[in-house]
Amino acid sequence: RTREDEDTGAQVAAIVRLEEVVVTTGEEDEDAVLDLKSKLYRFDKEANQWKERGAGTVKLLKHKDTGKIRLVMRQSKTLKICANHFVKPGMAVQEHVGNEKSCVWHARDFADGELKDELFCIRFASIENCKLFMQKFNEVTESEAEKEESKDASETAGLLEKLTVEETKTEEKVKTEVEAEEKKKSEPEKADEEKKTEEAAPST
């Protein structure tokens, strides 16, 4: 047995200490309305073909304060963002022709840090998950459209009310101006009448 093999009994301290790192995703103020595993593709116009964006989890997140809903998808291992955009009125998700597990939609996406018009295709493990995604997505767009309509209606009502108030004020102003004009006209007439009365009265 050589000296190198001898057990010295010394305790070897760990050189590397692993510390838990808290990762903030920016989703802390949102609740997940939908959370499904999927694979995302984007249509490359230049190459005229679909290109994979990543495989992971797609979520529909509702903000606790504003109530706005955005679609976020991250790659499962790296958490890199594949898609990140608000779900707005006018958006429509449709079944991808020839594949019941996939669907497509257009969006102004912010995954790369700048707004880009994208055509996305997403594929799920089952037809049920695909239908669920489409149902939830369309429910959100319809709900957002109703919100905008009611907002527009209330804004229009407020505008009409403001116009009515302004019209009333204008009418009152015109009325006041007319009355003032009539008063001005009537004052000389009254003076003339008084003058005539004085002339007609017999002198004592």
Side-chain angles (χ1 to χ4, degrees):
R1 191 173 179 178
T2 63
R3 283 186 67 184
E4 288 174 12
D5 293 336
E6 282 178 13
D7 184 6
T8 59
Q11 295 294 317
V12 179
I15 297 165
V16 179
R17 274 180 64 214
L18 297 176
E19 291 183 11
E20 189 178 339
V21 177
V22 178
V23 178
T24 55
T25 60
E27 298 169 18
E28 290 75 23
D29 294 328
E30 295 164 302
D31 294 318
V33 178
L34 187 77
D35 189 335
L36 295 169
K37 285 185 177 178
S38 54
K39 189 174 276 191
L40 186 73
Y41 302 83
R42 63 174 285 273
F43 191 74
D44 187 331
K45 290 172 189 173
E46 290 176 13
N48 198 31
Q49 64 182 22
W50 289 103
K51 290 193 174 177
E52 189 176 325
R53 254 282 172 96
T57 304
V58 64
K59 295 179 183 178
L60 289 178
L61 299 170
K62 184 174 184 177
H63 198 279
K64 291 172 185 174
D65 296 330
T66 64
K68 286 187 176 182
I69 293 181
R70 67 180 176 128
L71 180 147
V72 177
M73 181 167 171
R74 294 175 182 272
Q75 287 184 13
S76 52
K77 291 176 183 176
T78 63
L79 295 184
K80 183 180 183 292
I81 291 174
C82 309
N84 179 22
H85 65 79
F86 283 108
V87 181
K88 295 181 174 181
M91 284 184 176
V93 64
Q94 298 169 327
E95 188 180 298
H96 189 39
V97 180
N99 191 336
E100 290 182 48
K101 292 180 185 178
S102 301
C103 53
V104 295
W105 75 98
H106 279 278
R108 292 268 289 159
D109 186 69
F110 197 70
D112 291 336
E114 60 177 310
L115 280 172
K116 287 182 184 175
D117 287 314
E118 298 281 16
L119 174 59
F120 286 123
C121 176
I122 196 164
R123 195 173 78 214
F124 296 93
S126 67
I127 295 169
E128 288 75 26
N129 279 1
C130 185
K131 283 182 178 174
L132 178 62
F133 174 81
M134 289 173 69
Q135 180 195 333
K136 287 285 182 188
F137 192 106
N138 287 330
E139 276 177 14
V140 172
T141 58
E142 284 165 20
S143 167
E144 289 297 312
E146 283 171 13
K147 276 185 203 168
E148 280 205 357
E149 279 174 21
S150 62
K151 186 186 170 191
D152 287 347
S154 62
E155 281 179 1
T156 305
L159 186 63
L160 287 172
E161 194 178 324
K162 191 181 173 189
L163 285 171
T164 308
V165 169
E166 284 177 2
E167 279 172 11
T168 307
K169 283 180 183 173
T170 307
E171 281 173 17
E172 285 173 1
K173 190 181 174 188
V174 169
K175 191 180 173 187
T176 309
E177 284 173 359
V178 169
E179 283 174 354
E181 283 295 319
E182 284 177 355
K183 195 177 177 187
K184 278 182 189 175
K185 282 180 186 175
S186 63
E187 278 173 3
E189 283 171 12
K190 276 183 186 173
D192 285 348
E193 278 175 20
E194 283 169 10
K195 197 176 178 186
K196 283 174 187 174
T197 308
E198 282 171 16
E199 285 171 2
S203 53
T204 52

